[in-house]
């Protein structure tokens, strides 16, 4: 039986604020995330986290707009697919298609907001709950394994790691989501230029709205860059404070 003192300690741990991270940690985690995004092999491995956020964005907006979610598939080549039923055109479908490429940095922005308040443990547990919620809709083995491994790592860090390790893990992860939202948009346009991608989100949006696919690629990129700047300023708070800069 769980005691009242135990529950109080748990809630204090979950919702309590941790100490401000050292400015050096903020800088180093940003550099690590940038290296992961720019280097080929680390990106190839870590990109799966971007795919999880991408497909999760499609799924969440599909539900919010009244579409029926059929399932999510994650593949070993870091691609994914979210199936929903409903009108093939209209605002709901447009918003569902629009959500994918902007979801990773927007998730990162939410994480940056929590980290700006030093709610590191809360951030990690929210991440675990979101992964568990997404797991219900996964329809292939690799997707199940991917979410279980990702969620298991986050849960282990939140429960067993020291506050310093938790801070480094959280800051690196959020920097990665913010920075990692930009590269897939660039990759999308490169692939479209080389051989065309009629099934891409941008091309599907073009077919529904009549606006060219390049318009949607640019929109993805602009949204992600703006979110990167805003989220980056939130994460860089300790660095800015050290330099005597306020915003």
């Amino acid at each position: 039986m769980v005691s009242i003192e135990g529950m109080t300690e748990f809630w204090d741990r979950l919702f309590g604020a941790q100490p401000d991270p050292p400015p050096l940690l903020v800088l180093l985690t940003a550099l690590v995330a940038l290296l992961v995004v720019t280097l080929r092999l680390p990106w190839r491995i870590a990109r799966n986290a971007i795919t999880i956020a991408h497909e999760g964005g499609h799924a969440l907006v599909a539900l919010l707009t009244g579409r029926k979610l059929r399932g999510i598939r994650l593949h070993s080549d870091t691609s994914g697919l979210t199936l929903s039923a409903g009108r093939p055109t209209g605002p709901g479908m447009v918003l569902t298609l629009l959500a994918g490429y902007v979801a990773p940095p927007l998730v990162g922005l939410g994480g940056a907001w929590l980290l700006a308040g030093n709610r590191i443990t809360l951030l990690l547990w929210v991440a675990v709950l979101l992964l568990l919620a997404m797991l219900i809709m996964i329809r292939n083995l690799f997707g199940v394994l991917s979410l279980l491994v990702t969620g298991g790592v986050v849960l282990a860090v939140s429960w067993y790691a020291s506050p310093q390790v938790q801070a480094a893990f959280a800051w690196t992860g959020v920097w990665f989501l913010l920075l990692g939202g930009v590269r897939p948009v660039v990759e999308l346009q490169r692939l479209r230029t080389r051989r065309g991608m009629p099934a891409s989100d941008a091309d599907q949006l073009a077919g529904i709205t009549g606006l060219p696919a390049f318009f949607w690629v640019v929109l993805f990129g602009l949204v992600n860059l703006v979110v990167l700047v805003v989220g980056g300023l939130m994460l860089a708070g300790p660095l800015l404070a050290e330099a005597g800069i306020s915003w």
Side-chain angles (χ1 to χ4, degrees), residues 37 43 47 101 179-194 197 214 216-218 220-222 224-225:
V37 171
W43 171 249
R47 195 186 194 280
Y101 278 96
L179 292 164
V182 177
R183 179 165 175 171
V185 179
V186 176
E187 293 175 341
L188 170 63
Q189 184 55 29
R190 285 178 180 171
L191 289 172
R192 292 189 63 260
T193 302
R194 291 173 185 172
M197 294 182 64
F214 184 68
W216 296 104
V217 175
V218 172
F220 295 155
L222 288 176
N224 291 0
L225 286 173

Side-chain angles (χ1 to χ4, degrees), residues 8 33 39 44 75 77 90 94 99 104 117 125 139 147 151 153 162 170 235-236:
T8 301
L39 296 178
R44 175 65 179 77
H75 303 130
D77 63 356
V94 170
W125 276 71
R139 294 294 181 264
L147 286 183
V153 170
S162 66
L235 291 179

Side-chain angles (χ1 to χ4, degrees), residues 86-149:
R87 288 185 57 193
T89 60
M93 190 62 188
V94 170
L95 291 173
T96 298
L97 289 169
L98 184 61
Y101 278 96
V102 301
L106 287 175
V107 172
L109 182 64
W113 177 73
L114 287 174
L115 290 182
N118 290 335
R119 297 302 196 274
I120 299 172
T121 303
L122 179 60
L123 167 65
L124 297 175
W125 276 71
V126 168
V128 171
L129 291 176
L130 290 175
L131 290 168
L132 286 175
M134 189 173 174
L135 181 62
I136 299 172
M137 297 307 301
I138 294 294
R139 294 294 181 264
N140 67 322
L141 179 59
F142 179 83
V144 170
L145 292 175
S146 180
L147 286 183
L148 287 176
V149 170

Side-chain angles (χ1 to χ4, degrees), residues 7-228:
M7 287 298 299
T8 301
E9 181 181 353
F10 172 77
W11 288 112
D12 287 345
R13 179 179 179 182
L14 182 60
F15 291 100
Q18 285 73 42
D20 289 335
L24 181 60
L25 180 142
V26 176
L27 178 60
L28 290 177
T29 54
L31 291 175
V32 169
L34 182 60
L35 286 174
V36 171
V37 171
T38 54
L39 296 178
R40 183 175 179 179
L41 181 58
W43 171 249
R44 175 65 179 77
I45 297 171
R47 195 186 194 280
N48 191 57
I50 299 296
T51 303
I52 290 173
H54 179 115
E55 300 304 329
H58 282 315
L60 176 61
V61 174
L63 290 174
L64 292 176
T65 55
R67 298 181 63 81
K68 186 174 180 60
L69 188 59
R70 297 295 191 188
I72 304 168
R73 299 177 70 89
L74 303 173
H75 303 130
S76 58
D77 63 356
T78 72
S79 66
L81 178 65
T82 298
L83 297 174
S84 63
R87 288 185 57 193
T89 60
M93 190 62 188
V94 170
L95 291 173
T96 298
L97 289 169
L98 184 61
Y101 278 96
V102 301
L106 287 175
V107 172
L109 182 64
W113 177 73
L114 287 174
L115 290 182
N118 290 335
R119 297 302 196 274
I120 299 172
T121 303
L122 179 60
L123 167 65
L124 297 175
W125 276 71
V126 168
V128 171
L129 291 176
L130 290 175
L131 290 168
L132 286 175
M134 189 173 174
L135 181 62
I136 299 172
M137 297 307 301
I138 294 294
R139 294 294 181 264
N140 67 322
L141 179 59
F142 179 83
V144 170
L145 292 175
S146 180
L147 286 183
L148 287 176
V149 170
T150 305
V153 170
V154 177
L155 181 61
V157 170
S158 70
W159 197 257
Y160 297 109
S162 66
Q164 294 79 9
V165 172
Q166 288 186 14
F169 182 84
W171 252 266
T172 302
V174 173
W175 276 120
F176 174 72
L177 288 172
L178 291 171
L179 292 164
V182 177
R183 179 165 175 171
V185 179
V186 176
E187 293 175 341
L188 170 63
Q189 184 55 29
R190 285 178 180 171
L191 289 172
R192 292 189 63 260
T193 302
R194 291 173 185 172
R195 59 176 183 267
M197 294 182 64
S200 75
D201 294 349
D203 288 274
Q204 291 185 68
L205 283 165
I208 293 173
T209 64
L211 296 171
F214 184 68
F215 167 84
W216 296 104
V217 175
V218 172
L219 181 62
F220 295 155
L222 288 176
V223 170
N224 291 0
L225 286 173
V226 170
V227 173
L228 169 59

